[in-house]
Amino acid sequence: MNLADVPKEKLSPMMQQYAATKEKYSDCILFFRLGDFYEMFFEDAILVSRELELTLTGKECGLDERAPMCGVPYHSVDLYLKKLVDRGYKIAICEQMTDPALSKGLVERDVIRIVTPGTLIESSMLDDNANNYICSLYYGTDGSCALCFADLSTGEMSLAVPQGTTDLTVRIMDMLSRYTPAELVLNAQALSLKSVMDFVKVRLQCAVTLRDDACFSLDTGRELICQQFGVDSLELLGIEEDGAGACAVCGMLDYIRETQKRNIARFISIDVVDSAETMGLDLNARRNLELTETIRGKERKGSMLWLLDDARTAMGKRLLKTWMEQPLVQPLKIMARLDAVEAFIRRACPSWRCVRCWTMCTIWSV
């Protein structure tokens, strides 16, 4: 039984509330809070019961036939969300906005968050040793292009603007390989980049979300960017006022605001990436070198990162991974990094472990 096929006027008041909410978030699985459970109905219940191997039951809904239903406990919802997100689904969390014990009539409910592969923030659903990036890809009708990467769990945001039109698709795929995002948000024009789309589908295998052109528009987005980073002009961020980079950042912030239902205060700066500063490594090179995972089993154990990683904090582990995947090529920056490591070793902790860490930095700076 599909919700779209049932007469809404015959549904019970609570089920009409569910149907109205589901209509707004038709591309998501709707987790509808009822007491101590998140319930799913109709086609969502059938889908989730199959994916999570849950018991499919039924609920009186005002129709002659009971509505398919399944549910998960709210106190252990992260476990079920993780399984669905790993399969590429988007989940809309609909919470009770008023206390059922004090409410007269129907309890008020509303969606407070949309959970997607690229917008996870819970540590229980993430790998502390690696970033969970989401990418906003904007491709203009004039051939301009930009990619914005963000990690909601750490507050990191970067912007890359490939220059020129020669080998543009190659540079886009190189940036995607460098960050390996869990989710890709793009405008309709970007679908014309056939080789990039094939690369995303076959090699990256990340979730893809198509957004309206209005989400990348600078008419309202320019003010949104300035408010987010506390500046009066995009130029203060190193972003062209009317360039593709501004559109990509606008698309990112708009998507974050829509999924999180609020602005994310932890984004206080943006790093404009200079591709000339780091060595370009495509996905084949990264895999053949087994930098972060083995070719055969795609496991961390046995990779170069596993061998060299002696960091004691999650932040240090993520930094080392970034350094390995993006080796410096400019001598001045390499020497600056080595000088910093040398100062740390001499003044802070001249132990064997720090010497080993210094050796790793030396290797991956050249």
Side-chain angles (χ1 to χ4, degrees):
M1 182 190 298
N2 290 328
L3 182 59
D5 300 330
V6 303
K8 305 299 188 300
E9 66 277 3
K10 293 184 178 181
L11 294 173
S12 63
M14 190 211 72
M15 201 58 72
Q16 287 182 4
Q17 185 186 52
Y18 172 86
T21 306
K22 176 63 179 177
E23 186 176 0
K24 295 179 181 178
Y25 301 92
S26 57
D27 61 335
C28 302
I29 296 173
L30 181 59
F31 272 38
F32 196 72
R33 181 72 179 271
L34 289 176
D36 292 337
F37 285 81
Y38 288 106
E39 303 287 2
M40 288 127 275
F41 302 100
F42 297 100
E43 60 267 29
D44 279 0
I46 297 173
L47 172 64
V48 173
S49 65
R50 182 181 68 246
E51 292 287 351
L52 302 183
E53 299 181 354
L54 301 176
T55 301
L56 185 66
T57 60
K59 182 177 179 62
E60 295 293 340
C61 61
L63 303 176
D64 295 336
E65 186 179 352
R66 290 164 62 90
M69 180 183 78
C70 72
V72 299
Y74 83 95
H75 56 77
S76 58
V77 68
D78 286 359
L79 173 64
Y80 301 99
L81 287 176
K82 175 62 174 172
K83 291 181 179 180
L84 290 173
V85 166
D86 286 345
R87 289 169 169 80
Y89 294 108
K90 299 167 60 177
I91 303 96
I93 307 297
C94 185
E95 279 288 355
Q96 298 174 159
M97 308 304 291
T98 56
D99 188 343
L102 303 177
S103 298
K104 295 182 179 180
L106 197 63
V107 176
E108 183 181 344
R109 294 180 176 86
D110 199 3
V111 171
I112 63 167
R113 181 187 169 199
I114 300 175
V115 182
T116 71
T119 59
L120 297 176
I121 55 177
E122 293 83 1
S123 59
S124 61
M125 300 168 64
L126 294 170
D127 179 4
D128 289 338
N129 300 333
N131 288 97
N132 186 62
Y133 286 114
I134 180 173
C135 174
S136 169
L137 169 61
Y138 175 80
Y139 183 55
T141 55
D142 59 352
S144 61
C145 178
L147 301 93
C148 180
F149 298 90
D151 185 340
L152 271 69
S153 64
T154 64
E156 299 174 44
M157 184 176 290
S158 302
L159 174 65
V161 183
Q163 300 296 328
T165 57
T166 305
D167 296 330
L168 176 62
T169 57
V170 174
R171 288 198 291 274
I172 294 174
M173 290 186 287
D174 177 55
M175 293 302 301
L176 292 174
S177 299
R178 182 178 300 181
Y179 287 89
T180 57
E183 184 176 1
L184 178 63
V185 178
L186 44 78
N187 65 328
Q189 184 66 22
L191 295 175
S192 63
L193 300 169
K194 298 300 183 182
S195 56
V196 174
M197 295 300 103
D198 291 340
F199 173 80
V200 170
K201 180 179 180 180
V202 177
R203 304 300 296 276
L204 281 186
Q205 298 181 350
C206 65
V208 178
T209 301
L210 180 63
R211 302 281 286 169
D212 293 335
D213 289 341
C215 300
F216 298 85
S217 173
L218 293 177
D219 293 340
T220 57
R222 184 180 290 104
E223 182 179 355
L224 175 63
I225 298 173
C226 291
Q227 288 179 350
Q228 179 67 48
F229 298 108
V231 296
D232 297 325
S233 170
L234 298 186
E235 293 181 353
L236 297 176
L237 299 172
I239 304 174
E240 292 185 15
E241 286 286 346
D242 298 311
C247 294
V249 177
C250 179
M252 174 66 76
L253 294 178
D254 182 82
Y255 189 67
I256 291 174
R257 184 173 57 176
E258 178 174 315
T259 56
Q260 306 303 298
K261 303 302 178 182
R262 57 190 174 88
N263 291 331
I264 303 299
R266 65 171 59 96
F267 290 114
I268 59 175
S269 64
I270 182 169
D271 179 28
V272 180
V273 178
D274 183 356
S275 59
E277 292 182 355
T278 58
M279 182 183 299
L281 297 173
D282 60 24
L283 195 59
N284 287 331
R286 298 173 190 275
R287 288 181 174 177
N288 291 335
L289 292 172
E290 295 187 314
L291 294 180
T292 59
E293 64 180 19
T294 59
I295 295 178
R296 180 170 298 179
K298 296 186 180 298
E299 298 177 349
R300 187 175 185 275
K301 185 176 182 179
S303 67
M304 184 68 74
L305 179 61
W306 169 80
L307 177 65
L308 299 179
D309 186 6
D310 201 30
R312 288 294 180 263
T313 65
M315 184 182 296
K317 291 178 180 294
R318 290 194 297 267
L319 179 60
L320 178 60
K321 182 174 183 290
T322 300
W323 283 2
M324 289 182 59
E325 292 182 321
Q326 304 179 35
L328 296 174
V329 295
Q330 296 182 355
L332 187 62
K333 291 186 177 294
I334 293 174
M335 294 307 299
R337 179 179 293 178
L338 293 178
D339 289 344
V341 174
E342 183 180 9
F344 174 79
I345 292 174
R346 289 183 175 180
R347 301 177 186 177
C349 186
S351 65
W352 169 248
R353 292 189 181 277
C354 285
V355 172
R356 183 183 178 210
C357 188
W358 174 78
T359 304
M360 290 188 294
C361 293
T362 303
I363 293 172
W364 291 104
S365 294
V366 297

